[in-house]
Amino acid sequence: MNKSNKPKAKQRLRIYLRAFGVALFLWIFVVSKDRYEMLFDFPIEARNLSAQKAYREELPPYVSVKLEGSGRDLFKAFLVQKYVGFKLVLDLESISQEYEFVLDQYFKKHPEKIIIPSKYKLEFLEIIHPRKIKISLDDYSAKVV
């Protein structure tokens, strides 16, 4: 009698686990249509630096950004963000020596500088950290020795 109960108990446990798995999958599928906010680390890239200029200090490699989108889009973006090409671009063309970028204002004024592939329906909300980046440029010079 003891041996006959074990297979039934294992069979019941498998049924319960499968039912729980299906319920969890359906719950995630339904909830993922809702809109959420999430933090991402985007690389920052400075473009259009004059050939006669050089950085005095390095830029921070990443900026924390808050994005809004459906749960599905945020999850997909989270999985592939390093490979797809999410980034923020600073245009240094008009800088002569020094300039402080207030990042939130800059990217709201220039939304085309926020690179998010179009298949991800995500909306930029704000920059979390760092709020400002100070760019200091110096004249580039070379000496022949």
Side-chain angles (χ1 to χ4, degrees):
M1 185 166 193
N2 207 6
K3 290 183 180 181
S4 63
N5 283 341
K6 282 189 178 182
K8 287 183 181 180
K10 284 184 180 181
Q11 192 175 20
R12 283 185 186 161
L13 181 63
R14 286 184 192 148
I15 290 171
Y16 291 143
L17 288 176
R18 287 181 186 156
F20 178 75
V22 168
L24 183 65
F25 176 75
L26 290 173
W27 177 76
I28 289 173
F29 186 75
V30 169
V31 169
S32 67
K33 288 183 180 179
D34 293 343
R35 301 218 28 106
Y36 298 97
E37 295 176 358
M38 189 171 174
L39 291 179
F40 285 87
D41 286 335
F42 276 27
I44 191 157
E45 180 181 305
R47 290 187 183 163
N48 299 328
L49 180 64
S50 173
Q52 288 81 29
K53 299 289 183 181
Y55 297 112
R56 281 190 195 161
E57 298 173 14
E58 290 293 321
L59 290 174
Y62 293 95
V63 175
S64 294
V65 177
K66 187 187 288 188
L67 299 177
E68 181 184 32
S70 71
R72 291 177 192 167
D73 287 330
L74 288 169
F75 183 68
K76 283 190 286 187
F78 177 75
L79 290 177
V80 298
Q81 77 180 22
K82 293 181 181 174
Y83 311 109
V84 175
F86 292 94
K87 65 182 164 185
L88 301 174
V89 177
L90 291 175
D91 189 5
L92 304 181
E93 188 174 35
S94 61
I95 297 175
S96 60
Q97 288 298 99
E98 203 169 88
Y99 188 78
E100 184 171 78
F101 286 96
V102 179
L103 295 176
D104 212 28
Q105 292 173 359
Y106 178 78
F107 289 114
K108 287 187 179 179
K109 188 187 279 187
H110 304 285
E112 70 278 0
K113 305 287 186 187
I114 304 167
I115 311 297
I116 300 174
S118 61
K119 75 178 195 177
Y120 300 97
K121 297 171 184 77
L122 300 175
E123 181 183 338
F124 171 80
L125 294 179
E126 65 179 318
I127 301 288
I128 301 298
H129 179 76
R131 295 271 188 192
K132 298 176 183 178
I133 291 181
K134 187 173 184 177
I135 305 282
S136 297
L137 301 177
D138 203 358
D139 292 328
Y140 183 78
S141 62
K143 290 185 179 183
V144 178
V145 180

